[in-house]
Amino acid sequence: MKTIVNYINLASALFLVFTAIFHNFRVHEIGYYVFFTSYILEIVLEKRWNNFQWNKKNLYYTGMLLFFLLPLLYRPFDTDTYFKLLFEKRYPLLGIGIIGLLGVNGKYKLNYFLNTIIISSVLSILYLIVFKVGVSEFITSPTRDYLFTIQRIEHINSHMMFNFYLNLALISIWYMISRSWRQTRTMNRYLYIGAMTLIFFILYLSEGRSGFLASIMLMCAFIFFEIWKRKKTLGLMLALMIPFVFVALASGHKRLSEEQVKNEPRLFLWEAAVEVIENSSPLGNGMSRAQEKYDICRNEHETPEFKYLWHDVHRVRFIDCHNQYLQITMEFGILGIGLLLFLLIYPGFIVDNQRKLLALFILCLSAYQSIFDMFITGQFCFLFCFLTLLLLVVPNNIDHTARQQHGQPAITDDSTPLKHSDI
């Protein structure tokens, strides 16, 4: 019975990660129901509370649960206008926080999830090219980027989630081939490299500037670290060249022109948020009240073009500031921004050594994405929370296998008890 439940939980977790790239996927809710229900069954069947031990990882997930509880702590002083809408987006913080404290079953393996991200990214791209745009049209049309974008928005997702997911796939490919190159079959090496090339090309075509810039930074970092491992002098020389390579690649993107950057609507959204923060208590306003104040400020700052597009054409009624740091500071002040930075930074200090670079790339990408969108409190919430499980809780079978084949002892999961000095 336990084995069956374990496999159901694993399958539902893989399903949720695989479909995270899609918006409005109708069976998402079923996936969440199966995943969390099977996990509750695991807790009961395995009596997982008996193995609980207070350690650094549990400190992190306690912080995640506290971050989830902040809206409830402020609830007596908050309003009802946006409370339900905003609070329900944060439920993954509660679910994954509990999972982080109690652990996952033994069927979980890191490479399962990294490969799932890669496969989902590639299949999504191929689906759009083959079945929606058309292979010949995609190859020959000078407007392939526009054709791909239209189909992607309709059938997959907005560029923010799509590009973030594709960048996760780039990180996953790099980690898989970097940590287990000798153990990877020749055909699989070609498949990984081909997938990386395809994903980077699609990111170049994207209308999303932040995702494309992130992909350049990641690719440059991958090349640097791989060369540094083999020859440090050459790595240092490459590091001096990276800024010039970055500028050369970035300047070729049509949405990175000076005119496009000046007309970026996020600028006035951020200005309005800063104004709210300046006129608020150091402890913030509460989740719903902060959005109410922001609505007033934003209306004073918004441009006619933005008002026409968002209000008249798309009829969007709820508009946040598109910056996680500013939004959480408006809501919960120094307490909120402190906990947010804790969630984004602390895993890098407690992750095992074999996943240090993987954690660095994922956490930096998450922190970077938080500049341009609601991240931990928006559509990325479940994905980010689950990524922390991959870094801190899920066994790293990639390095385990590689070390065993080289005659070295396997690295076990780090569950060092928390000392007073750690706090």
Side-chain angles (χ1 to χ4, degrees):
M1 182 65 178
K2 286 193 293 184
T3 301
I4 293 173
V5 174
N6 287 163
Y7 277 116
I8 290 174
N9 183 256
L10 172 62
S12 59
L14 290 170
F15 173 80
L16 288 173
V17 171
F18 183 86
T19 57
I21 193 174
F22 300 99
H23 66 79
N24 297 327
F25 201 65
R26 293 183 179 180
V27 292
H28 261 151
E29 291 186 7
I30 299 175
Y32 285 124
Y33 177 80
V34 174
F35 175 67
F36 287 110
T37 301
S38 60
Y39 189 80
I40 293 172
L41 288 175
E42 284 184 341
I43 294 176
V44 176
L45 292 172
E46 298 177 1
K47 298 181 180 180
R48 211 168 272 177
W49 56 83
N50 291 331
N51 298 322
F52 180 84
Q53 182 182 18
W54 187 252
N55 54 42
K56 298 175 184 179
K57 295 174 186 176
N58 291 337
L59 173 64
Y60 177 75
Y61 287 105
T62 300
M64 182 177 288
L65 291 173
L66 181 58
F67 190 78
F68 168 77
L69 292 172
L70 279 179
L72 298 179
L73 296 176
Y74 278 69
R75 188 70 181 94
F77 316 101
D78 208 350
T79 62
D80 296 326
T81 309
Y82 294 105
F83 191 89
K84 183 177 183 297
L85 174 67
L86 295 175
F87 189 59
E88 64 186 11
K89 296 179 179 181
R90 310 180 189 205
Y91 288 157
L93 292 164
L94 173 63
I96 302 299
I98 294 173
I99 294 174
L101 290 175
L102 298 178
V104 296
N105 70 63
K107 310 301 180 186
Y108 278 61
K109 298 292 184 291
L110 180 61
N111 73 324
Y112 294 172
F113 293 94
L114 297 187
N115 279 318
T116 295
I117 293 172
I118 297 167
I119 292 170
S120 181
S121 298
V122 172
L123 290 181
S124 298
I125 294 171
L126 294 179
Y127 169 73
L128 293 174
I129 294 176
V130 176
F131 297 104
K132 296 302 175 182
V133 178
V135 177
S136 60
E137 189 73 14
F138 183 81
I139 294 174
T140 60
S141 175
T143 59
R144 67 174 65 88
D145 54 343
Y146 173 76
L147 296 174
F148 186 88
T149 296
I150 294 299
Q151 297 298 330
R152 189 212 68 228
I153 293 173
E154 181 178 354
H155 299 286
I156 306 294
N157 213 325
S158 67
H159 68 83
M160 296 302 292
M161 174 57 87
F162 187 78
N163 290 355
F164 176 77
Y165 198 93
L166 261 57
N167 277 313
L168 283 180
L170 289 180
I171 295 172
S172 301
I173 294 170
W174 163 78
Y175 189 77
M176 292 289 292
I177 62 178
S178 175
R179 304 300 300 188
S180 58
W181 178 260
R182 294 181 181 178
Q183 293 74 42
T184 304
R185 295 178 180 178
T186 303
M187 178 57 69
N188 290 343
R189 294 178 187 176
Y190 289 131
L191 289 174
Y192 280 131
I193 294 173
M196 178 175 277
T197 304
L198 175 64
I199 291 170
F200 183 73
F201 177 67
I202 293 299
L203 284 165
Y204 175 77
L205 293 181
S206 172
E207 81 279 20
R209 289 166 291 196
S210 60
F212 172 61
L213 291 177
S215 70
I216 298 176
M217 290 186 284
L218 286 173
M219 294 297 287
C220 289
F222 298 156
I223 295 170
F224 167 74
F225 281 114
E226 290 305 313
I227 294 177
W228 175 266
K229 284 194 305 185
R230 292 159 177 79
K231 193 158 187 174
K232 290 182 170 51
T233 303
L234 187 58
L236 289 174
M237 294 174 60
L238 178 64
L240 297 175
M241 297 172 57
I242 284 177
F244 299 100
V245 175
F246 178 83
V247 172
L249 291 173
S251 61
H253 198 284
K254 61 184 180 182
R255 288 202 66 202
L256 287 170
S257 65
E258 184 178 354
E259 187 64 25
Q260 286 280 345
V261 174
K262 284 183 179 179
N263 294 326
E264 169 58 54
R266 284 185 178 84
L267 295 178
F268 81 78
L269 295 177
W270 295 345
E271 288 175 5
V274 170
E275 187 173 320
V276 171
I277 293 169
E278 290 175 343
N279 296 312
S280 299
S281 159
L283 292 178
N285 302 280
M287 186 172 60
S288 181
R289 192 183 299 277
Q291 186 61 40
E292 290 178 353
K293 290 185 176 182
Y294 178 71
D295 289 344
I296 297 172
C297 248
R298 190 199 65 247
N299 287 333
E300 297 174 356
H301 286 81
E302 67 183 7
T303 63
E305 295 81 8
F306 182 87
K307 185 174 183 179
Y308 169 76
L309 183 63
W310 284 65
H311 295 279
D312 298 338
V313 176
H314 296 301
R315 299 186 182 279
V316 178
R317 296 182 179 179
F318 171 77
I319 304 171
D320 52 50
C321 72
H322 284 58
N323 182 296
Q324 182 68 82
Y325 306 104
L326 295 176
Q327 187 78 20
I328 209 69
T329 305
M330 286 193 295
E331 293 175 355
F332 307 118
I334 55 176
L335 181 59
I337 193 66
L339 278 173
L340 174 65
L341 294 176
F342 173 80
L343 293 181
L344 289 170
I345 295 173
Y346 190 59
F349 292 97
I350 61 175
V351 69
D352 61 70
N353 290 331
Q354 281 62 46
R355 280 182 273 198
K356 285 287 186 183
L357 276 180
L358 179 65
L360 174 66
F361 289 136
I362 289 178
L363 295 174
C364 285
L365 179 63
S366 301
Y368 172 76
Q369 189 82 15
S370 297
I371 299 173
F372 306 101
D373 208 347
M374 291 304 98
F375 191 74
I376 297 180
T377 63
Q379 64 172 327
F380 302 88
C381 186
F382 175 81
L383 188 54
F384 170 76
C385 292
F386 200 89
L387 288 171
T388 67
L389 293 181
L390 298 185
L391 295 175
L392 302 178
V393 179
V394 174
N396 186 2
N397 64 315
I398 300 171
D399 284 290
H400 178 89
T401 303
R403 292 178 66 85
Q404 283 188 329
Q405 292 191 9
H406 281 81
Q408 299 175 352
I411 300 295
T412 57
D413 186 36
D414 178 22
S415 55
T416 308
L418 191 66
K419 300 177 183 177
H420 180 73
S421 58
D422 294 321
I423 302 177

